[in-house]
Amino acid sequence: MADQDVADGGQPPPRPAPSRRAGRTKTARPRRVDESMTLLREVMERPLDPGYATAAERRAAGARPRGGLVTVVIAVVCGLVLTWSVVVLRAPKPDAVAARALLVEQIEGRTKANDAAKGRIERYRTEVRRAQDRALNDSGDAAAAAAAARLGIMSGDVAVTGPGLRVELADAPGSADGIGADGDPRADSSSSDGRVFDRDLQTIVNGLWAAGAEAVSINDQRLTSLSAIRSAGEAILVDYRPLVPPYVIKAIGDPTRMQTEFAGSTAGAYLQSLQDNFGVKADLKVEDALTVRASGTLALRNATPRPSPTPADPATPSALPSAATQRSSSPEATP
């Protein structure tokens, strides 16, 4: 039928055009299951970066690596620049060195002048005590002289000697900065745990007072009711005078009683904790003869002597002479 139509001069009937869907179905490739995991496939199939792979191939072929000389030159230049910068920054400035030397000289000079003035004050205080002692002895009042001697010892105005305990504290060797753990006696420490702090001396001194000490000093600085143990930076001050380690605490009193009561107190446990947990060096000894110097900073600013009672006032009890006006002239007294 179709041949007949062509032969008759007619045109063949048009063929139906294939649908788009049918064409796409014939040319499309099958979809991979892991098509959405391209990055993971790259890592698994080619774990080595192409650049590293190319360099490895060149090394295997015997080719010299590129940029080696440039890398060495850059490293040398960076090292020289860094060294020069450190040397320049660490080099002391001439003006700063001169200012520091002048400041050190002034401090040393004023320290010597202060020590000389303190020595003169001690000599004057000794002369005053001797004059007071002569005045009391000339008056014939033995009770007043004895009371003045006791008050001088209790107030720290006179040097004393007698048996007692000697406690020496020193920083732990190789101590490092750190903060104490919770529950230790120095949990709020912001400095080295192996160092001796002002609160350590405060605790130990208070424990010695409670154990029956009659006179206490730290590095020959007499402690009185007006004394204060404080810190300024890393230095420990007693009556505003800096102390240098090791710290030697002298406490005059009954050695047996003091040692027993101190060991059983919280201060004794605190001292043992400093030794065991922080490595602080502590040495407690019983001494047969200790000497505690007089206080060089005893000065009353608000306390004034109470007026002596008159014989016409029977309600006022008789009182001993005031410590502010009567002092013992003896340079050393035994409690």
Side-chain angles (χ1 to χ4, degrees):
M1 186 70 182
D3 295 340
Q4 185 177 359
D5 294 338
V6 172
D8 294 342
Q11 294 181 353
R15 296 180 181 180
S19 64
R20 293 183 177 180
R21 178 172 300 180
R24 187 167 57 246
T25 303
K26 292 179 181 178
T27 59
R29 291 182 302 175
R31 181 184 178 86
R32 295 186 56 167
V33 179
D34 59 348
E35 187 174 355
S36 63
M37 296 183 292
T38 306
L39 180 61
L40 294 178
R41 286 192 292 104
E42 288 289 336
V43 173
M44 296 296 295
E45 295 173 2
R46 296 193 303 174
L48 190 62
D49 187 86
Y52 287 101
T54 303
E57 292 175 0
R58 284 202 303 266
R59 283 197 302 269
R64 297 180 60 183
R66 300 177 181 178
L69 181 60
V70 176
T71 303
V72 172
V73 172
I74 293 176
V76 171
V77 171
C78 293
L80 292 176
V81 171
L82 179 61
T83 303
W84 177 80
S85 302
V86 172
V87 171
V88 171
L89 292 176
R90 294 178 63 91
K93 304 296 182 181
D95 296 340
V97 173
R100 184 179 183 277
L102 179 61
L103 182 60
V104 170
E105 182 180 356
Q106 292 178 353
I107 292 175
E108 292 178 351
R110 295 186 181 183
T111 300
K112 293 180 180 179
N114 188 25
D115 293 339
K118 184 179 178 181
R120 291 194 300 271
I121 292 174
E122 288 295 329
R123 291 194 298 270
Y124 296 152
R125 290 167 68 92
T126 301
E127 294 177 2
V128 170
R129 295 190 197 103
R130 291 176 179 173
Q132 291 176 347
D133 185 59
R134 286 195 299 269
L136 290 173
N137 292 331
D138 294 342
S139 65
D141 192 347
R150 289 196 305 270
L151 292 175
I153 294 173
M154 295 173 63
S155 63
D157 191 47
V158 297
V160 293
T161 183
L165 298 180
R166 183 181 183 274
V167 183
E168 182 174 342
L169 298 176
D171 298 337
S175 57
D177 291 343
I179 299 177
D182 294 339
D184 62 59
R186 303 195 297 177
D188 59 343
S189 170
S190 59
S191 277
S192 168
D193 286 336
R195 296 190 56 200
V196 179
F197 297 101
D198 55 340
R199 56 183 169 274
D200 302 332
L201 298 180
Q202 292 171 4
T203 302
I204 295 172
V205 167
N206 290 335
L208 292 172
W209 283 122
E214 299 173 356
V216 180
S217 68
I218 303 178
N219 286 16
D220 290 332
Q221 296 294 322
R222 180 74 171 270
L223 300 182
T224 66
S225 59
L226 303 177
S227 300
I229 304 174
R230 300 174 180 174
S231 63
E234 297 183 357
I236 299 178
L237 309 180
V238 173
D239 290 337
Y240 301 102
R241 294 186 64 87
L243 304 181
V244 179
Y247 307 100
V248 179
I249 303 174
K250 298 179 182 178
I252 294 180
D254 185 354
T256 304
R257 175 194 169 190
M258 290 174 56
Q259 190 174 20
T260 302
E261 295 191 6
F262 181 80
S265 64
T266 57
Y270 186 93
L271 179 60
Q272 189 65 38
S273 176
L274 294 181
Q275 294 180 270
D276 298 340
N277 300 331
F278 303 102
V280 174
K281 295 182 178 180
D283 185 20
L284 190 149
K285 294 181 180 179
V286 175
E287 298 285 348
D288 295 332
L290 291 174
T291 299
V292 175
R293 298 171 56 183
S295 174
T297 59
L298 185 61
L300 301 177
R301 297 178 176 85
N302 299 306
T304 57
R306 182 179 178 181
S308 301
T310 59
D313 187 5
T316 303
S318 59
L320 295 176
S322 171
T325 56
Q326 301 291 338
R327 301 295 184 188
S328 172
S329 62
S330 175
E332 290 188 357
T334 302

